[in-house]
Amino acid sequence: MEDLISIVVPVYNAEKYIRQTVDCVLRQSYKNWELILVDDGSSDGSVALMKSIPDERIRVLEYGEGGCAALARNMGVEAARGRYLAFLDADDLWLDEKLEKTLQHMKENDAAFVFTAYEFGDRDAVGTGKVVVVPAQLSYKQALSRTVIFTSTVMLDLEKLGKEQAMMPVVKSEDTATWWRILKTGVTAYGLNENLVIYRRGGKSLSSNKLEAVRRIWKLYEMQEDLNFFERCICFVGWAFRAVARRL
C-alpha cells in the first residue's frame, strides 16, 4: 500500500483559479492522496465549486475567519491523515509527477523536509521560462539568506517532524518562518532541482510588492529569529542579492 500524502490548500476568494488547481492534483501520477481544501471565509463561489467536485479524496473544511492563510493551513494540517504533508496554494499548479518525484526524493535521502525547483507563471499560469534553481541541501543558517523554499513545492514527513512543527505562526511570511523554525532544530531541507511547480504571478499580490517583501524579511530576522543588527544586515544582503537574481 502506498503511503498517504495529505495536501493542504488554503482558499480565499479563489473561485477563478481553484478548479484548475484541483485538476492538477487529480492528474498526479501518484494516486494515494487526500486533498484538504480549507476555505477561509470566501465571499465568492469557491465553496460551492469545491463541494461540487466528485472525488472522495477531497475534503472541504470551512475555517471562516477570512484572510489568514496560516490559520487555514493549520486547520488543514490538524485534519491531515497522511504520513506525508504537502502544501499547495490555491492559484498555483503542480506538474503531473510532482508528488511522485518529491516523495521518491524524500525516501532516497531519508529526509524529513523536501522542496523542489519551480517556474514563474503569468496570471494564466503559463510558464514564463524563468525557473528558480534550488540547492541540493539547505541548513538553517543558509536558509536565512536565501528564501528559495516556495510553499507549493514543500513536502514534510510528519512521522519524523510531528504536526506541531508544521503549524504556521500568524505573522507575515508565515511559511518562511515555519521553514526556519524546522531547520533550526537541526533538520536539513533537501532540494530536488527539477521544476515541478508553476508559481502564478499576476496582479498586485503581497509577494510581488518588493518594498513589503523587504519589510517582512527584516521583521522576521528581528522578531522571529532575534538576530542582532549585524546578523540581520549580513543575512539581508545575501537575501536581497538572491531575490533579485531569481527575478532576472
Side-chain angles (χ1 to χ4, degrees), residues 230-248:
F230 178 74
E231 291 171 327
R232 276 179 263 159
C233 288
I234 294 296
C235 291
F236 179 79
V237 169
W239 171 84
F241 174 80
R242 292 181 175 93
V244 170
R246 280 201 303 272
R247 287 164 171 79
L248 291 179

Side-chain angles (χ1 to χ4, degrees), residues 115-142:
F115 62 105
T116 78
Y118 61 95
E119 181 178 4
F120 289 114
D122 62 17
R123 64 178 63 244
D124 297 315
V126 175
T128 63
K130 177 58 181 175
V131 176
V132 175
V133 173
V134 300
Q137 295 183 23
L138 201 61
S139 68
Y140 169 68
K141 287 186 177 180
Q142 292 168 328

Side-chain angles (χ1 to χ4, degrees), residues 23-89:
D23 284 346
C24 85
V25 176
L26 293 172
R27 290 194 302 268
Q28 289 298 300
S29 58
Y30 190 92
K31 300 300 183 183
N32 192 26
W33 48 260
E34 61 170 357
L35 178 59
I36 305 171
L37 302 166
V38 186
D39 184 73
D40 192 19
S42 295
S43 58
D44 63 2
S46 295
V47 173
L49 192 158
M50 293 186 293
K51 288 183 175 179
S52 71
I53 302 172
D55 194 301
E56 62 183 11
R57 295 170 295 177
I58 299 174
R59 285 189 281 159
V60 179
L61 307 180
E62 296 183 56
Y63 178 67
E65 294 298 321
C68 185
L71 293 178
R73 286 195 187 101
N74 291 347
M75 184 178 189
V77 172
E78 186 61 37
R81 300 166 180 158
R83 170 175 176 173
Y84 298 99
L85 175 68
F87 293 104
L88 177 60
D89 284 348

Side-chain angles (χ1 to χ4, degrees), residues 170-187:
V170 183
V171 297
K172 291 182 178 180
S173 295
E174 72 281 352
D175 46 359
T176 297
T178 303
W179 317 146
W180 288 353
R181 188 187 65 227
I182 293 172
L183 297 179
K184 199 171 185 178
T185 66
V187 169

Side-chain angles (χ1 to χ4, degrees), residues 151-198:
T151 306
S152 293
T153 75
V154 168
M155 184 181 289
L156 305 175
D157 184 343
L158 295 179
E159 189 172 287
K160 294 179 183 294
L161 295 176
K163 284 188 177 182
E164 188 62 32
Q165 286 277 59
M167 296 292 182
M168 296 193 177
V170 183
V171 297
K172 291 182 178 180
S173 295
E174 72 281 352
D175 46 359
T176 297
T178 303
W179 317 146
W180 288 353
R181 188 187 65 227
I182 293 172
L183 297 179
K184 199 171 185 178
T185 66
V187 169
T188 297
Y190 285 79
L192 173 57
N193 192 30
E194 180 176 349
N195 173 32
L196 296 169
V197 179
I198 301 294

Side-chain angles (χ1 to χ4, degrees), residues 172 180 213-226 232:
K172 291 182 178 180
W180 288 353
V214 167
R215 290 173 177 158
R216 283 184 287 142
I217 197 72
W218 188 264
K219 202 71 173 177
L220 285 180
Y221 289 149
E222 181 182 12
M223 304 302 293
Q224 294 296 119
E225 303 308 308
D226 196 27
R232 276 179 263 159

